[in-house]
Every structure is written in C-alpha cells, then in structure tokens.
Amino acid sequence: MKEFSLLPNLCGKGVFVFSDPGGAKPILAYLKLNQGLLNYKVFSDRNYDFFSDFDIPISTYNEGDELTILDEFDADFLFTGTSINSSIEVKFIKSFKEKKIKSYSFIDHYTRILPRFEWKGSHYFPDVICVVDEVAENIVRSEIPNAEVIVSGNYFQEYIRNWAPLIDKASFLRNIGITESKKIIVFAPDPISRANHLERYGKSEYGFDEYSVFQYLLSALPTELQSEYVVVVKMHPNQDKKTFLSLISQSEMNVFVGDNLHTLTLLYYSNVLIGMFSNILIEGSILGTSVIRCLIGLKGKDPFEGKQIGEAAFELNQLKALILKNLKDQDGSK
C-alpha cells in the first residue's frame, strides 16, 4: 500500500461525510485499509452498490445531523468528500469550523472546484484540501489562493489494484441476460450537461456534453459486428436519465442502461470502456479494461491531459477505428 502524505496522520474520533461516489469510494477505502482508526461516524445522503464492498456502517443523513453530531460525538476531526449537486459536505464543514474542529475535504477530480464548497450563495472551505496529484494541487491553489492543499492520492484507486470479482464472468453475464460470447462496451458519461446553463464547466467550455458524445458513439459502433457486442450505459448518479433513455429508444443498436449492475464487476468484465473525463475511466484502466476517451470537438483543456488514461479520439473516424481495433484484439477471456 502506497504511503500518502495526509490521511495516515488522522487519529482520534472522526466524522466522515460524502455524497458523490468520487468522494465516497476513497473515503471508504481509507477506512477499510486503516485498521488503526476505530472510533468514527460516517454519513451520506446517497446509497451505492459499492457500499457492500466495504462492510462499514453508514448513517443515512437527516437534516440537522451536522449539528446534532457535535453534541452526541466528541469529534477530533471532520473529513468530507466534495460534491456538485449536494450540500451535505458543506453543511458539515460550516458547522465544524464554527466549533473550531479541524476539517479536511477530498477533491477527486480536476474540474468545478469552487462549486464544491458553495451553499446558499456563500463558500465554506475546510482547513485542509486534499487532492489526487500535483496537477490538481495547482488548480486548487489557483482557484482558492489561501487554501492549505496536500496531495493525498486516491485510496480507492490503490484499493482496487488487488480487487477481484466475487462472481465469475459466465455467471455475471447470465445474470444480466447477456450471452457469454458477446463482448461488452461500457459507456460512462460525465454529467456535463448539468452545467450547460453556465458560462463554465458545461458544453460551452468543453465543446461537447454526454449526449453529443453518446451520439458520436452510436455513429461509431461497427454495424458489421453488431451481433458480437452489447453496449451498457453506466450513468453517473447526477445524470438526467430521461434524455439518455430517449436517445437509446431512438437507436437501433443493442444498448441498455446498467445502473443496477455492480460497477467494479461490470468494469472488470468489460472489453471496452468509453467516456470523457470520468474517474471510472481510471478505475477501468487499473482493472485492465481497454479505455477510449471520446474528445470530439474538445474546445478547452483536457482535464486528463498527461495522465495516459486510455486512447483519445478527436475525430469520428478515429473513434470508429479504436472501437473496431479493441473489439477485434480481445478474445473475451478475462
């Protein structure tokens, strides 16, 4: 297990809070791997399939828990994930800072930094912000100049390096109604469209959103091999599902939504994983899945630039060629 600069130093009684999966997974992985931290409480306003992987008690957040926990649990520190579409972490940060209890937050990505700490028109920052690498550190320092920033790494990505499914591939495919001979293409969209009304972060900044990329994918799928594969859309929890369901219904390709599928098992047994900037692409790469990043029409800076995550396609013909190559190169033996 790789040593990171911050998290191993946490001690005493802790409160851990998360909403989006990008914060939930590394925090749960840390708690699972750190046997020295025994006295803690965990809160979330979401429920994910990967919770069962960790066997850690998680309390469902109720309004006001950020206040009552201060009376019921003499915490030494707070550690949160960060989210775009939930205020739970920021509420805890605000309450704990008012009591002068040390607070830490983990940012799992390279985009939308300030909105993660906004609530009711104000920003509430923790004492320490933890990031995945030096690139993220520079981004945070540029957007929050006075922040104390530490590169902590991502514990979940380290955790899954030794992970293996509990179910064999034949059983997994049979359970979801896919014949063993078919190859699996997973599309993992980022919910870029949720920021399309803003001047930053949405389609106006990147030149595409998840819906335009999905349409590129449908156009790039090799029709001559259509009987040999199935496309599974693994949506982000913040995704607008209705739009995707509409696009899928209009398609003549073999596509279905896999939100009820265990994410790591799906990634492990997939042949090709396609997306833009999602952390799932990094996780799939670690698990040995071929990754293609569709960046057709990219206007701004690529958040994964220099990360060597999969192969990037900047044109439709390039995307078609990469999909075809990866389908033909794999024998489906994993």
Side-chain angles (χ1 to χ4, degrees), residues 94-115:
K94 180 177 182 295
S95 296
F96 274 63
K97 290 205 73 173
E98 288 174 352
K99 295 293 184 179
K100 301 188 184 306
I101 299 173
K102 189 84 169 182
S103 57
Y104 305 83
S105 291
F106 175 71
I107 298 178
D108 60 283
H109 211 269
Y110 307 89
T111 59
R112 303 193 70 178
I113 303 301
L114 284 175

mmCIF file of all heavy atoms in Angstrom, residues 94-115:
data_model
loop_
_atom_site.group_PDB
_atom_site.id
_atom_site.type_symbol
_atom_site.label_atom_id
_atom_site.label_comp_id
_atom_site.label_asym_id
_atom_site.label_seq_id
_atom_site.Cartn_x
_atom_site.Cartn_y
_atom_site.Cartn_z
ATOM 1 N N LYS A 94 -19.203 23.814 7.531
ATOM 2 C CA LYS A 94 -19.622 25.053 8.194
ATOM 3 C C LYS A 94 -19.807 24.835 9.695
ATOM 4 O O LYS A 94 -19.294 25.608 10.518
ATOM 5 C CB LYS A 94 -20.925 25.563 7.578
ATOM 6 C CG LYS A 94 -21.465 26.854 8.189
ATOM 7 C CD LYS A 94 -22.719 27.306 7.446
ATOM 8 C CE LYS A 94 -23.264 28.629 8.011
ATOM 9 N NZ LYS A 94 -23.736 28.503 9.400
ATOM 10 N N SER A 95 -20.505 23.779 10.066
ATOM 11 C CA SER A 95 -20.781 23.523 11.480
ATOM 12 C C SER A 95 -19.517 23.216 12.266
ATOM 13 O O SER A 95 -19.317 23.712 13.384
ATOM 14 C CB SER A 95 -21.768 22.353 11.620
ATOM 15 O OG SER A 95 -23.011 22.674 11.062
ATOM 16 N N PHE A 96 -18.638 22.399 11.690
ATOM 17 C CA PHE A 96 -17.425 22.006 12.406
ATOM 18 C C PHE A 96 -16.443 23.169 12.512
ATOM 19 O O PHE A 96 -15.737 23.308 13.527
ATOM 20 C CB PHE A 96 -16.774 20.802 11.712
ATOM 21 C CG PHE A 96 -17.335 19.484 12.166
ATOM 22 C CD1 PHE A 96 -18.667 19.172 11.943
ATOM 23 C CD2 PHE A 96 -16.545 18.558 12.829
ATOM 24 C CE1 PHE A 96 -19.212 17.963 12.359
ATOM 25 C CE2 PHE A 96 -17.070 17.346 13.258
ATOM 26 C CZ PHE A 96 -18.404 17.045 13.021
ATOM 27 N N LYS A 97 -16.383 24.006 11.495
ATOM 28 C CA LYS A 97 -15.485 25.166 11.574
ATOM 29 C C LYS A 97 -15.970 26.152 12.631
ATOM 30 O O LYS A 97 -15.159 26.793 13.303
ATOM 31 C CB LYS A 97 -15.383 25.836 10.208
ATOM 32 C CG LYS A 97 -14.610 25.015 9.173
ATOM 33 C CD LYS A 97 -14.003 25.882 8.097
ATOM 34 C CE LYS A 97 -12.814 26.665 8.643
ATOM 35 N NZ LYS A 97 -12.089 27.410 7.599
ATOM 36 N N GLU A 98 -17.271 26.273 12.776
ATOM 37 C CA GLU A 98 -17.810 27.169 13.816
ATOM 38 C C GLU A 98 -17.422 26.690 15.206
ATOM 39 O O GLU A 98 -17.290 27.489 16.132
ATOM 40 C CB GLU A 98 -19.324 27.262 13.684
ATOM 41 C CG GLU A 98 -19.779 28.076 12.467
ATOM 42 C CD GLU A 98 -21.274 28.047 12.260
ATOM 43 O OE1 GLU A 98 -21.965 27.262 12.968
ATOM 44 O OE2 GLU A 98 -21.783 28.789 11.383
ATOM 45 N N LYS A 99 -17.210 25.374 15.359
ATOM 46 C CA LYS A 99 -16.775 24.798 16.637
ATOM 47 C C LYS A 99 -15.259 24.641 16.702
ATOM 48 O O LYS A 99 -14.731 24.063 17.663
ATOM 49 C CB LYS A 99 -17.438 23.432 16.838
ATOM 50 C CG LYS A 99 -18.951 23.484 16.996
ATOM 51 C CD LYS A 99 -19.353 24.168 18.301
ATOM 52 C CE LYS A 99 -20.856 24.120 18.494
ATOM 53 N NZ LYS A 99 -21.276 24.766 19.770
ATOM 54 N N LYS A 100 -14.572 25.146 15.673
ATOM 55 C CA LYS A 100 -13.106 25.111 15.599
ATOM 56 C C LYS A 100 -12.556 23.683 15.658
ATOM 57 O O LYS A 100 -11.510 23.411 16.268
ATOM 58 C CB LYS A 100 -12.483 25.975 16.704
ATOM 59 C CG LYS A 100 -12.917 27.431 16.649
ATOM 60 C CD LYS A 100 -12.143 28.285 17.615
ATOM 61 C CE LYS A 100 -12.656 29.731 17.632
ATOM 62 N NZ LYS A 100 -12.691 30.340 16.301
ATOM 63 N N ILE A 101 -13.272 22.769 15.013
ATOM 64 C CA ILE A 101 -12.812 21.389 14.878
ATOM 65 C C ILE A 101 -12.154 21.236 13.513
ATOM 66 O O ILE A 101 -12.695 21.652 12.498
ATOM 67 C CB ILE A 101 -13.982 20.396 15.024
ATOM 68 C CG1 ILE A 101 -14.623 20.541 16.412
ATOM 69 C CG2 ILE A 101 -13.509 18.960 14.818
ATOM 70 C CD1 ILE A 101 -15.884 19.731 16.597
ATOM 71 N N LYS A 102 -10.978 20.648 13.501
ATOM 72 C CA LYS A 102 -10.195 20.522 12.268
ATOM 73 C C LYS A 102 -10.997 19.828 11.177
ATOM 74 O O LYS A 102 -11.620 18.789 11.404
ATOM 75 C CB LYS A 102 -8.925 19.715 12.547
ATOM 76 C CG LYS A 102 -7.924 19.689 11.402
ATOM 77 C CD LYS A 102 -7.038 20.916 11.408
ATOM 78 C CE LYS A 102 -5.867 20.774 10.447
ATOM 79 N NZ LYS A 102 -4.971 21.946 10.489
ATOM 80 N N SER A 103 -10.977 20.391 9.975
ATOM 81 C CA SER A 103 -11.752 19.829 8.873
ATOM 82 C C SER A 103 -10.878 19.618 7.647
ATOM 83 O O SER A 103 -10.000 20.430 7.336
ATOM 84 C CB SER A 103 -12.934 20.742 8.525
ATOM 85 O OG SER A 103 -12.492 22.047 8.194
ATOM 86 N N TYR A 104 -11.129 18.512 6.960
ATOM 87 C CA TYR A 104 -10.415 18.143 5.751
ATOM 88 C C TYR A 104 -11.451 17.806 4.677
ATOM 89 O O TYR A 104 -12.511 17.250 4.980
ATOM 90 C CB TYR A 104 -9.546 16.906 5.959
ATOM 91 C CG TYR A 104 -8.563 16.986 7.098
ATOM 92 C CD1 TYR A 104 -8.968 16.714 8.405
ATOM 93 C CD2 TYR A 104 -7.225 17.291 6.872
ATOM 94 C CE1 TYR A 104 -8.071 16.755 9.460
ATOM 95 C CE2 TYR A 104 -6.311 17.335 7.918
ATOM 96 C CZ TYR A 104 -6.744 17.063 9.218
ATOM 97 O OH TYR A 104 -5.851 17.110 10.248
ATOM 98 N N SER A 105 -11.142 18.088 3.427
ATOM 99 C CA SER A 105 -12.003 17.680 2.320
ATOM 100 C C SER A 105 -11.151 17.124 1.191
ATOM 101 O O SER A 105 -10.048 17.605 0.931
ATOM 102 C CB SER A 105 -12.835 18.850 1.791
ATOM 103 O OG SER A 105 -13.808 19.251 2.716
ATOM 104 N N PHE A 106 -11.698 16.109 0.526
ATOM 105 C CA PHE A 106 -11.008 15.476 -0.592
ATOM 106 C C PHE A 106 -11.689 15.843 -1.900
ATOM 107 O O PHE A 106 -12.911 15.700 -2.041
ATOM 108 C CB PHE A 106 -11.017 13.955 -0.418
ATOM 109 C CG PHE A 106 -10.430 13.212 -1.587
ATOM 110 C CD1 PHE A 106 -9.065 13.253 -1.827
ATOM 111 C CD2 PHE A 106 -11.231 12.468 -2.430
ATOM 112 C CE1 PHE A 106 -8.518 12.575 -2.905
ATOM 113 C CE2 PHE A 106 -10.699 11.781 -3.502
ATOM 114 C CZ PHE A 106 -9.336 11.835 -3.737
ATOM 115 N N ILE A 107 -10.905 16.351 -2.857
ATOM 116 C CA ILE A 107 -11.402 16.639 -4.204
ATOM 117 C C ILE A 107 -10.890 15.537 -5.119
ATOM 118 O O ILE A 107 -9.682 15.341 -5.263
ATOM 119 C CB ILE A 107 -10.930 18.017 -4.697
ATOM 120 C CG1 ILE A 107 -11.489 19.122 -3.782
ATOM 121 C CG2 ILE A 107 -11.368 18.244 -6.133
ATOM 122 C CD1 ILE A 107 -11.024 20.515 -4.163
ATOM 123 N N ASP A 108 -11.808 14.834 -5.746
ATOM 124 C CA ASP A 108 -11.453 13.636 -6.504
ATOM 125 C C ASP A 108 -11.142 13.900 -7.967
ATOM 126 O O ASP A 108 -10.799 12.975 -8.701
ATOM 127 C CB ASP A 108 -12.604 12.624 -6.428
ATOM 128 C CG ASP A 108 -13.892 13.192 -7.015
ATOM 129 O OD1 ASP A 108 -14.535 14.002 -6.327
ATOM 130 O OD2 ASP A 108 -14.237 12.833 -8.160
ATOM 131 N N HIS A 109 -11.262 15.167 -8.411
ATOM 132 C CA HIS A 109 -11.156 15.437 -9.851
ATOM 133 C C HIS A 109 -10.412 16.746 -10.080
ATOM 134 O O HIS A 109 -9.839 17.323 -9.153
ATOM 135 C CB HIS A 109 -12.559 15.482 -10.468
ATOM 136 C CG HIS A 109 -12.609 15.022 -11.888
ATOM 137 N ND1 HIS A 109 -12.454 15.884 -12.947
ATOM 138 C CD2 HIS A 109 -12.805 13.795 -12.430
ATOM 139 C CE1 HIS A 109 -12.544 15.208 -14.086
ATOM 140 N NE2 HIS A 109 -12.761 13.938 -13.801
ATOM 141 N N TYR A 110 -10.460 17.234 -11.336
ATOM 142 C CA TYR A 110 -9.718 18.428 -11.728
ATOM 143 C C TYR A 110 -10.645 19.563 -12.163
ATOM 144 O O TYR A 110 -10.162 20.591 -12.638
ATOM 145 C CB TYR A 110 -8.775 18.080 -12.890
ATOM 146 C CG TYR A 110 -7.875 16.913 -12.615
ATOM 147 C CD1 TYR A 110 -8.290 15.613 -12.921
ATOM 148 C CD2 TYR A 110 -6.624 17.085 -12.020
ATOM 149 C CE1 TYR A 110 -7.472 14.524 -12.659
ATOM 150 C CE2 TYR A 110 -5.807 16.015 -11.759
ATOM 151 C CZ TYR A 110 -6.237 14.726 -12.080
ATOM 152 O OH TYR A 110 -5.431 13.650 -11.812
ATOM 153 N N THR A 111 -11.948 19.372 -12.012
ATOM 154 C CA THR A 111 -12.907 20.337 -12.546
ATOM 155 C C THR A 111 -13.863 20.825 -11.471
ATOM 156 O O THR A 111 -14.053 20.181 -10.441
ATOM 157 C CB THR A 111 -13.724 19.712 -13.689
ATOM 158 O OG1 THR A 111 -14.418 18.547 -13.199
ATOM 159 C CG2 THR A 111 -12.823 19.294 -14.840
ATOM 160 N N ARG A 112 -14.479 21.983 -11.734
ATOM 161 C CA ARG A 112 -15.535 22.563 -10.892
ATOM 162 C C ARG A 112 -15.123 22.590 -9.414
ATOM 163 O O ARG A 112 -15.775 21.989 -8.557
ATOM 164 C CB ARG A 112 -16.840 21.798 -11.076
ATOM 165 C CG ARG A 112 -17.323 21.760 -12.515
ATOM 166 C CD ARG A 112 -18.736 21.281 -12.643
ATOM 167 N NE ARG A 112 -19.675 22.265 -12.112
ATOM 168 C CZ ARG A 112 -20.997 22.115 -12.126
ATOM 169 N NH1 ARG A 112 -21.534 21.042 -12.637
ATOM 170 N NH2 ARG A 112 -21.777 23.045 -11.621
ATOM 171 N N ILE A 113 -14.066 23.308 -9.120
ATOM 172 C CA ILE A 113 -13.518 23.339 -7.763
ATOM 173 C C ILE A 113 -14.400 24.174 -6.820
ATOM 174 O O ILE A 113 -14.879 23.676 -5.794
ATOM 175 C CB ILE A 113 -12.077 23.892 -7.769
ATOM 176 C CG1 ILE A 113 -11.194 23.048 -8.704
ATOM 177 C CG2 ILE A 113 -11.522 23.914 -6.349
ATOM 178 C CD1 ILE A 113 -11.113 21.590 -8.363
ATOM 179 N N LEU A 114 -14.619 25.428 -7.150
ATOM 180 C CA LEU A 114 -15.369 26.318 -6.248
ATOM 181 C C LEU A 114 -16.799 25.865 -5.969
ATOM 182 O O LEU A 114 -17.260 25.953 -4.821
ATOM 183 C CB LEU A 114 -15.360 27.745 -6.799
ATOM 184 C CG LEU A 114 -14.055 28.523 -6.618
ATOM 185 C CD1 LEU A 114 -14.143 29.875 -7.311
ATOM 186 C CD2 LEU A 114 -13.744 28.712 -5.136
ATOM 187 N N PRO A 115 -17.552 25.370 -6.975
ATOM 188 C CA PRO A 115 -18.930 24.944 -6.679
ATOM 189 C C PRO A 115 -19.027 23.842 -5.634
ATOM 190 O O PRO A 115 -20.089 23.673 -5.022
ATOM 191 C CB PRO A 115 -19.434 24.455 -8.045
ATOM 192 C CG PRO A 115 -18.637 25.213 -9.041
ATOM 193 C CD PRO A 115 -17.275 25.334 -8.426
#
